[in-house]
Amino acid sequence: MNPLKIEFLGTGTSQGVPIIGCDCETCQSKNLKDNRLRSSVLIKSGNSSVIIDCGPDFRQQMLRSKCQRLNAVVLTHEHMDHIAGLDDVRPFNFKTKLDMPVYCTKRVENRLKEQFSYAFSDEKYPGSPGFEIINIYSNENFKIGDQRWTPILAQHGTWPVTGFRIQDFVYLTDISGISHLESEKILGSKVLVINALRKSKHVSHFSLDEAISYAKSTKVPEVYLTHASHQLGLHEEVSDSLPEGFHLAYDGLKITIQ
Ligand SMILES: [Zn+2]
Ligand SMILES: [Zn+2]
Ligand SMILES: [Zn+2]
């Protein structure tokens, strides 16, 4: 198997960090690790380059990571901070003359057809983005290039959200709960990315304590926390407080999984 090269394109919650107009300590921090674009991750292996989620910062993220090629977009759920950047796949459409494969559940597909109706209409105006929707199901693995993907069904408040295992890498964002059965898909992996919104509880996201306690239960040795809000606190202070094997992810962080 080819090693997986992971790049965190964004590690922030829906408003990003800093938040417009906020003068809190985190939003005012001079540490670049406290600047968080909306959550997304780039996964490269062999000839495949795939992103999970395509939020409003997608264009900036592709430019910053100097991404020349993108084989597919995989979506966790339909919230705007995870889909709003899809119009900006156009440069890839123009370059390859192909529609962009978008892997998502039927529920997410329905939302995309509302949000980006112009891209799905019979009379597309010139220059519209092109999407090739490929439906995914929680009990069916799928392949993208040389990567084998396993969907993991979780809860995001009252909504469903899909996490993914690719080889020994697991990415779970925007979750507030997950069944024992779905958790079994994580067993034996080497790296887990999981959302930790803030220190206090939230109705649809794991808090820091909940994320740590869940991640410990999976026994995955290396854990990276993502989808952080400004309320989580300063990168340096939070990082220092974490148990062994836990890291607070930051934008631009790269890891390789053999
Ligand atoms: Zn989100
Ligand atoms: Zn703030
Ligand atoms: Zn969400």
Side-chain angles (χ1 to χ4, degrees):
M1 269 189 301
N2 287 311
L4 290 182
K5 292 188 173 164
I6 311 293
E7 179 177 350
F8 289 87
L9 300 173
T11 56
T13 188
S14 61
Q15 297 183 81
V17 185
I19 289 180
I20 295 171
C22 183
D23 58 6
C24 82
E25 193 184 23
T26 312
C27 290
Q28 294 300 315
S29 166
K30 298 276 183 286
N31 184 350
L32 288 178
K33 291 179 181 170
D34 286 313
N35 288 355
R36 300 180 186 277
L37 298 178
R38 268 56 73 90
S39 289
S40 175
V41 73
L42 174 65
I43 302 164
K44 289 185 178 174
S45 69
N47 288 323
S48 309
S49 291
V50 181
I51 57 165
I52 299 180
D53 289 333
C54 188
D57 300 315
F58 170 72
R59 173 178 173 275
Q60 195 181 339
Q61 290 166 333
M62 289 294 96
L63 292 171
R64 193 162 70 173
S65 77
K66 300 190 167 49
C67 192
Q68 299 281 331
R69 231 165 34 84
L70 195 60
N71 297 86
V73 173
V74 181
L75 299 175
T76 57
H77 67 304
E78 66 275 24
H79 287 163
M80 284 302 276
D81 56 320
H82 299 260
I83 66 165
L86 278 169
D87 187 75
D88 280 320
V89 303
R90 288 175 296 139
F92 292 115
N93 293 147
F94 302 150
K95 200 170 173 178
T96 61
K97 310 223 174 347
L98 296 169
D99 290 340
M100 176 62 72
V102 176
Y103 290 76
C104 63
T105 60
K106 190 74 196 165
R107 174 192 169 95
V108 175
E109 177 188 357
N110 291 339
R111 178 76 187 102
L112 296 182
K113 286 182 169 163
E114 290 169 13
Q115 189 64 38
F116 302 98
S117 55
Y118 58 93
F120 292 96
S121 86
D122 292 336
E123 290 156 41
K124 280 179 42 165
Y125 64 78
S128 297
F131 307 125
E132 177 198 357
I133 303 289
I134 299 148
N135 280 144
I136 59 175
Y137 304 91
S138 63
N139 52 355
E140 278 179 28
N141 294 339
F142 58 94
K143 275 195 97 174
I144 305 177
D146 64 344
Q147 300 172 358
R148 183 166 173 269
W149 288 60
T150 300
I152 301 168
L153 181 64
Q155 294 93 48
H156 180 17
T158 55
W159 308 287
V161 61
T162 311
F164 299 95
R165 176 171 181 166
I166 308 104
Q167 295 171 202
D168 287 330
F169 173 70
V170 176
Y171 187 85
L172 299 175
T173 192
D174 292 58
I175 82 163
S176 56
I178 180 166
S179 72
H180 188 68
L181 204 61
E182 290 296 303
S183 290
E184 285 182 5
K185 295 176 177 173
I186 300 168
L187 296 179
S189 55
K190 291 178 184 162
V191 174
L192 168 65
V193 178
I194 191 160
N195 57 295
L197 185 75
R198 61 186 193 192
K199 288 169 185 137
S200 56
K201 268 184 158 312
H202 188 275
V203 59
S204 55
H205 292 268
F206 271 163
S207 66
L208 180 61
D209 284 350
E210 287 167 337
I212 291 174
S213 137
Y214 175 71
K216 280 185 171 171
S217 78
T218 66
K219 303 210 166 19
V220 178
E222 296 294 324
V223 178
Y224 291 83
L225 305 173
T226 191
H227 208 283
S229 110
H230 65 156
Q231 293 170 321
L232 185 63
L234 293 168
H235 183 275
E236 226 164 86
E237 284 179 20
V238 176
S239 294
D240 287 348
S241 75
L242 296 176
E244 205 188 329
F246 283 73
H247 317 270
L248 180 56
Y250 55 88
D251 291 20
L253 171 65
K254 291 180 183 172
I255 54 175
T256 300
I257 304 163
Q258 296 296 335

